[in-house]
Amino acid sequence: MLDKYIKTKAFSYIYSIVLLAIAVCIILVGWDGFGGDTGGIILVNDHMYTGIQILVLITAVMLVVSSRLTDAMQPAMMIVVLATACYNSADEFTSPSFIWVAIPALLAVIFHFIKYRKPFRIGKSFWGLCAVTAAVTLGGLGSISASDYFGGSSMFYVLGLGIGMVAFYILVKSQVDSDTPQGVVRVMYLVGMLAAFSILWVYVSNWDVFLRRGTFLRPQFANNLSTLIMMAMPFPLLYSSKRYVDFISLPIMYAAMVFSGSRAGLLMGTVELIVLLIVYSAAYQKGVGGIVRRVIFLGTLVAFLGAVWYVLPRLATLGGASAEEGMSRIDIVKQVFDGFISSGETRVQLLERMKGDFASNPVFGVGLGYTGNSDIYSPVKGAMNWYHMWVPQVVGSLGIVGILAYGYQLVYRAAIFVKNRSLMNLTLFMSYVGLWMMSQVNPGEFCPAPYAMLAVTYFAFMENPDEDIFLVEKFEAIKASFKNRRASARTAEMNKNDK
């Protein structure tokens, strides 16, 4: 009875608004200030951690009372946004107070998949996950030390991106039904707006610091929240198919990402915005509604490009360049990029180091747990020694095996979308594209939670259910086939003896 009520549109709407309000309140009371002079670290108090614990318990409750996994996904994703402000807080999140709320959450997960169990099945994206599992498990074979490979952080990422992600896919796939993608759309839309609010609140609550510095405040969570916003940007365009007003959320998200000070968000997010406006202009069907939306999308694109062209000389100052009268825009762009990227920064050094790492073990790479580059980048507790770039991470850490595995997975994922095209699947696919773009200059998809898990979830939804393989039925069929072969072999042997 309760589960039936939870699935109503009225409850879903109220539930989403209440959760968003709770998350906003946690930000308002949980932030003590902005450490603008200490690397942009958000200063949080105990209210932040208490608020996160409350959301963990809400997640656990929804796992118990609702058969829809997305009802528990919503508070869980709110936790992700809030946790980005808790810099270097591994000790706090592993403290006894969090362990006591994690236990009922874990029990709730087990209860959910038993109480609301459905047949286990796999789709086309399963095989790409298997290939990646082999690559991350074998990464570093023959070169990585045992202490590096079996270290706590290394094991978390090897298992989390490997066999753990395969298990996660099977569990999520079993929960997919016709209304599940709609739930994910709602969750990601709200996550994007909460991330945008978090960034804009930094400016509202530190307006004097912003005026004094005269440049972006650059909070330390800029890249993480920009990644979530890039994943969320397609969803307002999907919602605008029913309500024009939802389109306003897109420029709000984009503006927040720009003001985050994230260079990756500014560059990759701008490319994504342009692509989204073009793609969705072509995606909507004919008719008055489709024409109106095309006018809105393309009009926004023209206005955006015109604004960029007009303010480009001012952007030069963000990279330390001069905005002298008469300077060509091409020169300005060059100076902006010169200011954005320096030859001595971490990513450039790791890009050079990747060449040697690959050469030292071209087949399997140096492994995800390799710590030989800690002289260039030393991660916070619980993180691994990332290259902070998707391609070098695959090439350097996993070698040729990793290149083939991740390449295979990319091709298969693209094929799943192409074969099952719809406006919903286009939105999920473009959200993944946003993640993949951000992963080129950030850890992104090499973070099991939430990014890799979201990607796996998207493609589990996009797969054609008619092509799914039901594991129990497949196992029984294989078992029956094996028995039949044994029986046939015995019969043949008996006939041979009778002769």
Side-chain angles (χ1 to χ4, degrees):
M1 181 66 180
L2 185 59
D3 181 50
K4 185 178 180 180
Y5 173 73
I6 289 173
K7 289 183 177 180
T8 62
K9 289 185 178 181
F11 177 86
S12 297
Y13 179 79
I14 296 172
Y15 175 64
S16 297
I17 296 300
V18 170
L19 272 183
L20 186 61
I22 291 173
V24 168
C25 289
I26 293 172
I27 291 174
L28 296 180
V29 302
W31 288 9
D32 274 343
F34 174 70
D37 298 324
T38 57
I41 295 174
I42 300 296
L43 307 176
V44 299
N45 55 42
D46 290 340
H47 296 307
M48 172 63 73
Y49 298 109
T50 302
I52 291 176
Q53 290 170 352
I54 291 172
L55 288 174
V56 171
L57 293 176
I58 293 175
T59 303
V61 170
M62 296 309 295
L63 282 168
V64 171
V65 301
S66 175
S67 61
R68 291 192 309 192
L69 199 58
T70 51
D71 290 327
M73 179 183 175
Q74 192 162 320
M77 287 303 300
M78 298 290 179
I79 293 171
V80 170
V81 177
L82 297 176
T84 60
C86 305
Y87 181 72
N88 199 14
S89 298
D91 290 336
E92 283 78 5
F93 286 119
T94 55
S95 65
S97 61
F98 267 93
I99 292 175
W100 282 114
V101 296
I103 291 174
L106 179 60
L107 293 175
V109 170
I110 297 172
F111 175 88
H112 180 92
F113 285 102
I114 295 176
K115 170 67 176 177
Y116 306 110
R117 64 185 179 276
K118 296 177 183 178
F120 290 132
R121 52 198 169 111
I122 59 175
K124 297 291 186 181
S125 63
F126 174 79
W127 309 111
L129 291 172
C130 290
V132 167
T133 296
V136 298
T137 304
L138 296 174
L141 182 64
S143 64
I144 191 172
S145 66
S147 59
D148 278 355
Y149 186 88
F150 292 105
S153 295
S154 175
M155 281 287 93
F156 171 77
Y157 287 96
V158 169
L159 296 176
L161 293 170
I163 191 65
M165 203 58 64
V166 171
F168 174 79
Y169 167 84
I170 293 173
L171 289 174
V172 169
K173 182 69 176 177
S174 71
Q175 298 287 303
V176 172
D177 54 36
S178 58
D179 65 343
T180 305
Q182 291 289 349
V184 174
V185 169
R186 183 177 63 254
V187 170
M188 292 306 297
Y189 190 164
L190 293 175
V191 163
M193 293 306 292
L194 181 61
F197 172 81
S198 300
I199 294 168
L200 296 177
W201 183 247
V202 171
Y203 284 86
V204 172
S205 58
N206 298 276
W207 192 251
D208 57 331
V209 179
F210 174 55
L211 293 178
R212 185 174 69 250
R213 292 177 58 178
T215 186
F216 293 142
L217 294 180
R218 295 185 175 89
Q220 107 280 335
F221 58 26
N223 284 335
N224 271 312
L225 291 191
S226 292
T227 303
L228 290 171
I229 288 175
M230 285 185 66
M231 295 187 72
M233 281 168 62
F235 295 102
L237 292 170
L238 177 65
Y239 266 91
S240 66
S241 64
K242 296 181 179 179
R243 299 187 303 256
Y244 291 110
V245 70
D246 285 296
F247 178 73
I248 299 174
S249 301
L250 179 61
I252 292 175
M253 290 182 189
Y254 176 76
M257 182 169 55
V258 171
F259 274 90
S260 74
S262 168
R263 295 173 299 174
L266 176 60
L267 298 176
M268 297 298 186
T270 299
V271 173
E272 183 186 14
L273 176 65
I274 294 171
V275 171
L276 286 175
L277 291 172
I278 294 173
V279 167
Y280 278 85
S281 295
Y284 278 105
Q285 301 297 319
K286 296 179 180 179
V288 176
I291 294 173
V292 170
R293 288 175 179 85
R294 287 191 183 93
V295 170
I296 293 174
F297 296 165
L298 294 178
T300 302
L301 177 60
V302 171
F304 173 74
L305 294 177
V308 170
W309 185 255
Y310 176 76
V311 304
L312 193 54
R314 297 173 183 269
L315 289 178
T317 58
L318 297 179
S322 171
E324 295 176 0
E325 189 73 27
M327 176 182 285
S328 75
R329 285 175 170 79
I330 294 177
D331 288 338
I332 290 173
V333 170
K334 290 180 179 178
Q335 290 200 38
V336 169
F337 277 87
D338 287 342
F340 275 12
I341 305 171
S342 65
S343 59
E345 73 174 70
T346 300
R347 286 179 179 82
V348 176
Q349 295 181 57
L350 287 171
L351 190 60
E352 289 296 319
R353 188 67 64 85
M354 175 270 296
K355 300 175 184 176
D357 293 341
F358 176 76
S360 68
N361 191 5
V363 177
F364 298 108
V366 295
L368 294 179
Y370 179 65
T371 58
N373 296 325
S374 57
D375 58 316
I376 299 176
Y377 169 72
S378 182
V380 297
K381 186 176 180 180
M384 74 177 192
N385 291 75
W386 287 299
Y387 289 87
H388 284 273
M389 295 167 284
W390 192 90
V391 172
Q393 191 75 61
V394 172
V395 174
S397 294
L398 308 175
I400 295 173
V401 172
I403 295 170
L404 294 175
Y406 273 93
Y408 173 76
Q409 179 172 255
L410 271 179
V411 171
Y412 239 90
R413 284 178 168 177
I416 289 170
F417 164 67
V418 171
K419 191 173 181 180
N420 305 293
R421 289 190 300 274
S422 67
L423 193 59
M424 173 66 74
N425 285 351
L426 170 65
T427 305
L428 294 174
F429 184 73
M430 293 307 299
S431 178
Y432 172 70
V433 169
L435 169 63
W436 189 78
M437 289 173 64
M438 194 56 140
S439 299
Q440 304 313 303
V441 287
N442 275 290
E445 212 176 344
F446 276 90
C447 296
Y451 303 124
M453 295 172 75
L454 283 171
V456 167
T457 301
Y458 287 172
F459 288 95
F461 294 160
M462 275 191 259
E463 293 166 340
N464 184 351
D466 295 334
E467 298 177 345
D468 289 346
I469 298 173
F470 288 83
L471 295 182
V472 174
E473 293 179 8
K474 188 67 174 178
F475 175 77
E476 292 296 334
I478 293 173
K479 185 178 176 181
S481 176
F482 180 73
K483 287 183 177 180
N484 290 336
R485 282 199 295 267
R486 288 186 60 184
S488 297
R490 284 196 298 268
T491 300
E493 185 66 24
M494 291 173 61
N495 292 336
K496 182 178 179 181
N497 292 336
D498 289 344
K499 293 179 180 180

